[in-house]
Amino acid sequence: MAASVEQKDQQKGEGKKKEHEQEQEKEREPESPRLVLRTYRAGDYPYVDHMFISSYFALVPEGVRRKLWTPLTWVVWFAVYSYLLMIAPILLSGLDFPSWSCTVLKLFFTFAWAAVGFAALFVITDQFDTQHRVEYIRQNDLCDPEVSYLHWRKEERILVRQRLPESERTPSHFWVLVMDNEPCGMVGLACNAKDVSDQRPVPLAPWQKIGTRLLKRYHLSVPASFERPSTTTRPLFAKAHAPHTATLTRLTIKYEYQSCSLSTLLVNRAMVWASEHGIKRVYAETNEMMMAAEQILSKRHGFKQTSKHSTGWLGQYEAVWEVEVASWMKSYGDKTKDAFQKVPTQK
């Protein structure tokens, strides 16, 4: 009897020991990251803002590469280069230098102008094209995604936040992709019932800026007409959508998570949402810096380019893409159907 009791105690002890070892093994095993695609929340703004800025400025090399493809870039570069080679002998004429000095000077001009030309393209792309586009978006729909996409009305003076009436809402929405509670991607679906004006201050006309600088340079008084915009009409940021249409916007993946096919999850969610809310056609807009986005839209999701127009002399352009929601659902709708498990949303 005593022996059987001891055996039972021993078996219990061994069972507890095995359970303890299994628990330790589980603790040693790294947990797989939890990927959640949810609606944007107000607290996401710092992450969304930083993610958008860092991801957009990472496109600067692509913008420089596109400019290098433009014939005008090479025409200007060779014109200046030819001029430098032409004046090299003139600069050395009358000076007591060896005959090979002209060749050395021409080599110096070659490498120096190549470096200066490339640096100029980088500065134009980074400080002008990219900076303008980033601020254009940050001061408009990404200024507050809750207002732009989620139908909240906010009164700045008294900080009132309330949802728009159901009759005033559109199928617009905004999502954030979260990896282990850290936002790593985002996408929006814009469906504007009316035209949306640019929220940035109305800029001065070029002649006003030049005149103001010249007058200040020579310490002259600046007329009030030079400091006041010539028009108070704000330019359009986005046109009103036709019935049953929307635009895919702000498709962004954090730099370190790119090349992981996470963009497909974001596009799929937006397209399924569009299908559920009666949208028949979805558009997307790209520019010369977004070759990767164009490849994703066209090759992975069946978008077709419908228009493309130049916005600058150095290869800058804007393109519009579109896809029929019904045909997309038929071809791609089931791709990530089992990849997500719905969880209760926080109110």
Side-chain angles (χ1 to χ4, degrees), residues 41-56:
R41 299 170 187 164
D44 294 330
Y45 179 77
Y47 301 97
V48 166
D49 188 51
H50 177 265
M51 181 165 46
F52 174 74
I53 294 172
S54 60
S55 299
Y56 213 110

Side-chain angles (χ1 to χ4, degrees), residues 293-304 321 332:
E294 292 177 347
Q295 296 292 319
I296 291 170
L297 292 172
S298 61
K299 293 185 177 180
R300 297 185 190 176
H301 298 280
F303 278 73
K304 304 294 182 183
W321 305 72
Y332 307 97

Side-chain angles (χ1 to χ4, degrees), residues 22 45 93 95 113 160 164-165 183 190 204 206 240 245 264 302 305 313 319 336:
Q22 289 175 355
Y45 179 77
S93 62
L95 299 176
W113 178 232
V160 173
L164 291 174
L204 297 174
T245 64
T264 297
Q305 187 180 105
W313 292 97
T336 54

Side-chain angles (χ1 to χ4, degrees), residues 236-279:
L236 279 182
F237 172 72
K239 293 182 179 180
H241 285 84
H244 307 293
T245 64
T247 301
L248 189 73
T249 63
R250 313 305 163 231
L251 177 61
T252 306
I253 298 294
K254 202 172 180 180
Y255 186 75
E256 51 265 39
Y257 293 104
Q258 293 178 5
S259 302
C260 296
S261 298
L262 296 180
S263 60
T264 297
L265 305 178
L266 293 169
V267 175
N268 281 20
R269 184 67 189 95
M271 293 300 296
V272 171
W273 174 275
S275 176
E276 293 172 346
H277 289 78
I279 294 174

Side-chain angles (χ1 to χ4, degrees), residues 89-98:
I90 300 174
L91 293 175
L92 296 177
S93 62
L95 299 176
D96 189 17
F97 285 108

Side-chain angles (χ1 to χ4, degrees), residues 129-167:
D129 293 348
T130 307
Q131 185 75 27
H132 168 75
R133 286 167 174 163
V134 167
E135 290 305 315
Y136 179 63
I137 292 168
R138 289 184 67 227
Q139 296 184 40
N140 283 283
D141 65 316
L142 281 191
C143 179
D144 193 336
E146 285 191 316
V147 174
S148 303
Y149 295 92
L150 302 180
H151 317 296
W152 287 96
R153 180 190 287 122
K154 296 184 179 181
E155 301 290 342
E156 294 295 334
R157 294 182 179 179
I158 54 177
L159 298 177
V160 173
R161 176 176 177 265
Q162 59 183 358
R163 292 296 294 270
L164 291 174
E166 190 73 32
S167 58

Side-chain angles (χ1 to χ4, degrees), residues 83-109:
Y83 174 76
L84 293 174
L85 295 183
M86 183 182 66
I87 66 172
I90 300 174
L91 293 175
L92 296 177
S93 62
L95 299 176
D96 189 17
F97 285 108
S99 58
W100 49 263
S101 299
C102 185
T103 303
V104 172
L105 183 59
K106 289 180 178 179
L107 287 173
F108 171 76
F109 281 158

Side-chain angles (χ1 to χ4, degrees), residues 2 7 9 30 35 38 58 97 125 133 147 186 192 221 259 305:
Q7 287 178 353
D9 292 340
L35 194 62
R38 57 168 173 77
F97 285 108
T125 305
R133 286 167 174 163
V147 174
M186 62 181 178
N192 303 316
S221 60
S259 302
Q305 187 180 105

